[in-house]
Amino acid sequence: MVSHDNIRAQMRKGILEYCVLALLRGGPAYGLEITEGLSGQGLLDSDGTLYALLSRLRKQGWVETWWRESASGPPRRYYALSPDGAAALNTFVDLWVPFSQSVTRAISEEQAP
Amino acid sequence: MSKHRKVAEPEYHPLVRAYLTDLERALTGTEPDEREDIMIAVREHLQEALPPEGDGDVQAVLESLGPVERISREASPSTPEEPSRRAGDLGFVLSGALSIVLLALNPFVALFFAMIIGSTAFFLSRRGSGNRGLLRVAAGLCAATVLVSVVWIVALLPARSNPPEVGPTHSVESGDRP
């Protein structure tokens, strides 16, 4: 039987990166801020996996990074949405809204024969 | 500020040290750049999440980071260099060496050959295709050939453009001719 965790992990694949981009739409953020933002929405079940994802997004050119001194501790690496990342996010949003509506319709009980 | 920056290494709790060692080992088969990025980011996360003095809730912070295997699964596996691509890059180096040999035969042919091979190797290395080191060696060999052949050709030009000097002609009159 497929476990709850497995289904959630499958659903996150390919979607979480756009949630990160959407979070960065609000402005640059450092690692811990991003993990807190995503965990607070129940989108992240282990913070460490986010850093692998952020590294890939940086390599793809979808996020830009830089270091900034912190008043309360060590320097922080900030992540910001790049123009390519913003374009990718817009494309995802265009596709996601009708797709998620179709999924909702497909699995709703009223549609069942 | 630079993109890559090492965060000053603090004194970690033994559990944190063990976690970082495990993570580094788990990331062995991943892309080197990505591995370095992840290690830096996780260290920064730990420094942010754990207070500088006292143990804090180390166990809870490590649990929130998740198992190291899960992190390594998210990372991109390193791509071994394809044998055919490496052979192609070696071919560029051999062609660069061949251009030097061609110099001995004909500097014009060597120049033409080195310019084609060298510029291709240079653009491939700039684009990040193939083995950058081998491509740079090939481009360097071709650049040397171009330099030597140009000097050679320039040195040859005056010799070819000036016709050999002809000395004053002397007509020989022969009184013996009938």
Side-chain angles (χ1 to χ4, degrees), chain B residues 86-106:
Chain B
R86 189 172 175 83
D89 297 339
L90 276 171
F92 273 106
V93 175
L94 287 175
S95 301
L98 179 64
S99 71
I100 293 175
V101 175
L102 282 174
L103 264 176
L105 303 173
N106 188 322

Side-chain angles (χ1 to χ4, degrees), chain B residues 18-38:
Chain B
Y19 183 87
L20 289 172
T21 307
D22 279 357
L23 179 59
E24 201 150 22
R25 198 174 297 132
L27 292 171
T28 302
T30 57
E31 282 287 321
D33 282 355
E34 215 169 303
R35 181 166 64 230
E36 194 191 340
D37 256 5
I38 295 168

Side-chain angles (χ1 to χ4, degrees), chain B residues 2 9 27 30 68 73 100 110 119 133 163:
Chain B
S2 64
E9 197 81 8
L27 292 171
T30 57
V68 293
R73 272 202 301 273
I100 293 175
S119 55

Side-chain angles (χ1 to χ4, degrees), chain A residues 58 65-68 77, chain B residues 1-6:
Chain A
R58 188 164 82 86
T65 66
W66 66 89
W67 288 90
R68 190 182 286 170
R77 174 144 58 180
Chain B
M1 284 202 181
S2 64
K3 279 181 179 176
H4 286 281
R5 175 170 170 170
K6 295 269 180 193

Side-chain angles (χ1 to χ4, degrees), chain B residues 163-169:
Chain B
E165 283 187 20
V166 180
T169 51

